[in-house]
Amino acid sequence: MKRLRFNQQEIVFAVFAALFLVFSIFLRGFLTPENMLTLLQNVAVLGILGLAMAIVVIGRGIDISLIAALAVPPGLVLQMVQNGHSLPASLLTAVLLTIGFGLVNGWLIAYAEVPSLFATLASGLLLAGLGQTALFQLDVVQWSDGMKGFERLGQGTIVGIPTSIVMFAIACVVVAFLLRRTRWGAYIYAIGDNPYAARVTGIPSRPIIVLQYVVAALIGCFAGLVMAASVNSMPTRIFNSTLIYDVILVVVLGGIGLSGGRGGVLNVIIGTLLIGTMLNGMTIMDISYAGQNLVKGVVLLLAVITDSFLNPRNEETAQQGDI
Amino acid sequence: MKRIVSSAKVTAIALGLAAIAAPALAQQGLDEPFQKPFKEALAGKTVAYVPVAMNFDLTEGWYAGMKKELEPFGVKFEIRDPNWNTNAGAQAVTSLISEKPAVMVIHNPDVQTYAKLLQRAENEGIYVIQINMGSAYRSSAFVGANWIEIGERDTEAVVKACQGKSNKIAIVQGALSAAASAYTLKGVENVLAKHPEIKVVSSQAADWDAAKAKAITQTVLKQNPDLCGIVGFWDGMDIGTAAAVKEAGLTGKVFVATSGGGERKGACELVKSGAFDLNMSYDVPTQAAQMAGTIKWLLSSGAKAGSIKGSEYTTLIPITKENADSPTACWNLSDLKK
């Protein structure tokens, strides 16, 4: 008899479906179109960040500095506009800063061979520190008149759908295309699956790894712009928050194994949906902040345990010094 | 002859005037006996400032205000920035105790973490001034806002705005363990106890985070589109709350009350734009001046650290559409730094 086997994606989807069903039945006001849109809107930025993290994790890395890329370059845009620079010039500066940051990350990991966890931990601190000491006047950079019109990136609706959801959808399509339809995407899977074999077959693994971190930083910056537009300011000290854990939670929960080479955009969407449903349900039930953290912690632990059962460490994965 | 008489008269008058004036001219200025010991008490003393973090309007404002008042007297004003990290803050306080500054100005992240350390500092002879967010230990002085009063006045305004409406309100708290959040909540409860008709549909902590405040408020507004008011706990975070209200098209219908330091961009501009209906300002420049005044008084008093304990609650300025345009309701950080 064939043994029943589920992969993590299916398990998480089943959990999501069950939770969704329970909330729909028992929580008044949960299953309304408005609430569904709010649910998605609340996790859109998290989802975009999840896409960036997914690219890196599929390539067998991790990017702890993602929140710095989310906070600092968009904060710089707001600060420069506040100081009287034009919006296009500020955006260009921010994008260049982001690319530079991604290059540094990539170089450290691909060429200097610093483990990605430590490299991005340090570089994230560096970028956030740079922002705080040199770039911003205050932690929360306020929206100014020069940004007029740009708030549409995160506020309002496009054909009835909140803009931030549309941005998440666009990001999903772009990343799915990059991963599934381009040679670069195939290389990332190959490197994530087995970096040595990838190198032997002639894949330019080091430049690909660098590119991976540049793209992740750019997506992070994009998420930051959506967030800033959505709350009409850039609270740059979000770097000190637990957001990065939520991002890892989305990715791991969605079924992208930390040992690399597996998963895709669909996993991020499923992970995001589960988190969104949990947060939304807990907010409607008025569960305290500490209680919500507890639930999230338990879920992350369960996800990591499931991950290590479904993607067990073996000779091959243990050798590359994954996290 | 006539000329001689008149010139004699003039001379006599002049001499008479001189005689009256003479004692005054002869006397030296009176030395004020107290300013010299005052100056000596301050010169060369170190004042250490430990905020929860720099780089936001409150802590930058206090820093600029105290620096301006103290440095002309030769006080060394030092800063230790824990950057929102409570452990780093506790370490900073611990190392300061061994460095023995004359005064420590402490901004507590919560009511417990520093309490024992502050007591130790006073035992070591260091004056401790706690600002805006106090701890469980009462030190030489507390200078700051009366959070209970803020909670009460904000809630009263929301309750008033809710009259004849749905009576449904939401509360957006800060970080649960912070004095500012816990005491404000107490103030909110005090008022709600008198108004049983008010229904709190949501009371959640957004951890001083604007994005989180927005997410919570969005969900609450979708569940309760007839909400009539929101009590927010800090304007820096409630930018998110207000953004959610605006996005739901409910600006003006949902009364948003909050509190903050009264910096122009964060307070008056946002009240003018309609984001906030009421912003209780604790007026940072005045607070800074009171902090500096307390430091001067303590240093010159010669009192033993820990032997006297007092509080200075700052007067609140309610910022509404009526006074948001006035030049005195808010302050500019850039001006204070000059």
Side-chain angles (χ1 to χ4, degrees), chain A residues 28-29 34-35 38 41-42 132 137-139 142 154-155 230-231 237 240 280 283-284 286-287 289 292, chain B residues 55-57 83-84 202-205 207-208 212 214-215 218-219 222-223 234 239 243 246-247 333:
Chain A
R28 193 183 53 81
E34 294 86 24
N35 190 52
T38 312
Q41 200 179 351
N42 285 346
Q132 232 169 15
Q137 277 152 18
L138 294 175
D139 270 5
Q142 300 277 1
Q155 287 178 20
S230 155
V231 292
R237 66 188 166 78
N240 297 318
N280 185 274
T283 306
I284 296 178
D286 205 12
I287 292 179
Y289 180 66
Q292 297 200 9
Chain B
N55 285 323
F56 68 104
D57 52 358
N83 200 14
W84 300 102
S202 159
S203 176
Q204 298 210 4
D207 209 27
W208 307 132
K212 216 168 266 173
K214 185 179 181 193
Q218 270 177 336
T219 307
K222 287 283 151 62
Q223 299 303 311
W234 180 40
I239 296 173
K246 186 181 160 207
E247 206 168 88
L333 185 59

Side-chain angles (χ1 to χ4, degrees), chain B residues 12-71:
Chain B
I13 290 168
L15 277 174
L17 281 176
I20 296 164
L25 280 177
Q27 197 180 49
Q28 296 291 303
L30 189 61
D31 193 20
E32 201 250 295
F34 312 118
Q35 48 87 25
K36 194 163 167 263
F38 171 78
K39 282 184 180 163
E40 281 169 3
L42 263 66
K45 290 280 161 55
T46 304
V47 174
Y49 172 50
V50 187
V52 293
M54 284 305 277
N55 285 323
F56 68 104
D57 52 358
L58 305 180
T59 50
E60 289 281 343
W62 292 324
Y63 177 72
M66 277 190 279
K67 200 173 151 79
K68 200 189 266 180
E69 283 280 312
L70 294 172
E71 284 194 342

Side-chain angles (χ1 to χ4, degrees), chain B residues 47-323:
Chain B
V47 174
Y49 172 50
V50 187
V52 293
M54 284 305 277
N55 285 323
F56 68 104
D57 52 358
L58 305 180
T59 50
E60 289 281 343
W62 292 324
Y63 177 72
M66 277 190 279
K67 200 173 151 79
K68 200 189 266 180
E69 283 280 312
L70 294 172
E71 284 194 342
F73 293 96
V75 172
K76 238 175 89 196
F77 194 49
E78 275 184 14
I79 179 167
R80 299 287 157 88
D81 182 3
N83 200 14
W84 300 102
N85 183 337
T86 308
N87 284 333
Q91 270 169 26
V93 174
T94 312
S95 67
L96 278 173
I97 291 175
S98 58
E99 287 168 36
K100 287 218 166 64
V103 183
M104 294 196 325
V105 180
I106 304 289
H107 186 210
N108 291 285
D110 57 58
V111 291
Q112 283 304 338
T113 310
Y114 298 172
K116 282 259 160 57
L117 290 171
L118 300 184
Q119 191 171 9
R120 225 175 78 201
E122 291 213 315
N123 291 340
E124 297 281 328
I126 304 164
Y127 297 115
V128 174
I129 300 179
Q130 299 183 66
I131 57 173
N132 233 30
M133 295 203 279
S135 73
Y137 171 69
R138 189 172 190 204
S139 61
S140 300
F142 169 81
V143 182
N146 184 348
W147 297 107
I148 297 206
E149 187 191 346
I150 290 177
E152 286 174 350
R153 289 175 69 173
D154 272 344
T155 314
E156 272 161 10
V158 168
V159 167
K160 198 170 158 227
C162 276
Q163 272 173 0
K165 293 187 185 167
S166 68
N167 280 337
K168 282 185 190 171
I169 70 163
I171 302 167
V172 183
Q173 303 175 35
L176 290 174
S177 54
S181 196
Y183 297 155
T184 307
L185 188 62
K186 180 67 191 157
V188 174
E189 285 165 356
N190 287 349
V191 173
L192 290 181
K194 285 185 242 156
H195 291 276
E197 78 279 9
I198 299 288
K199 188 170 173 251
V200 179
V201 294
S202 159
S203 176
Q204 298 210 4
D207 209 27
W208 307 132
D209 177 351
K212 216 168 266 173
K214 185 179 181 193
I216 291 173
T217 311
Q218 270 177 336
T219 307
V220 172
L221 283 174
K222 287 283 151 62
Q223 299 303 311
N224 308 281
D226 56 343
L227 199 80
C228 58
I230 299 174
V231 182
F233 281 18
W234 180 40
D235 54 12
M237 162 183 83
D238 289 320
I239 296 173
T241 312
V245 173
K246 186 181 160 207
E247 206 168 88
L250 293 169
T251 305
K253 290 185 188 128
V254 177
F255 190 94
V256 181
T258 186
S259 61
E263 211 275 332
R264 186 159 299 279
K265 278 204 246 20
C268 283
E269 298 294 336
L270 287 171
V271 169
K272 265 200 284 187
S273 78
F276 302 141
D277 296 281
L278 170 67
N279 189 337
M280 277 289 164
S281 159
Y282 25 89
D283 196 28
V284 163
T286 309
Q287 286 187 319
Q290 289 189 356
M291 288 165 198
T294 312
I295 293 169
K296 288 178 188 169
W297 187 84
L298 278 172
L299 284 176
S300 61
S301 72
K304 198 170 156 281
S307 64
I308 40 166
K309 289 159 197 291
S311 304
E312 291 170 74
Y313 291 104
T314 37
T315 312
L316 298 174
I317 305 175
I319 298 170
T320 59
K321 274 240 161 66
E322 273 89 68
N323 63 353

Side-chain angles (χ1 to χ4, degrees), chain A residues 7 14 23 150 159 165 168 175 196-197 199 250 263 286 303 310 318-319:
Chain A
N7 63 25
F23 283 168
F150 198 72
V159 288
I165 302 178
F168 178 38
V175 172
Y196 304 109
R199 198 178 296 171
V250 161
D286 205 12
L310 294 173
Q319 265 180 1

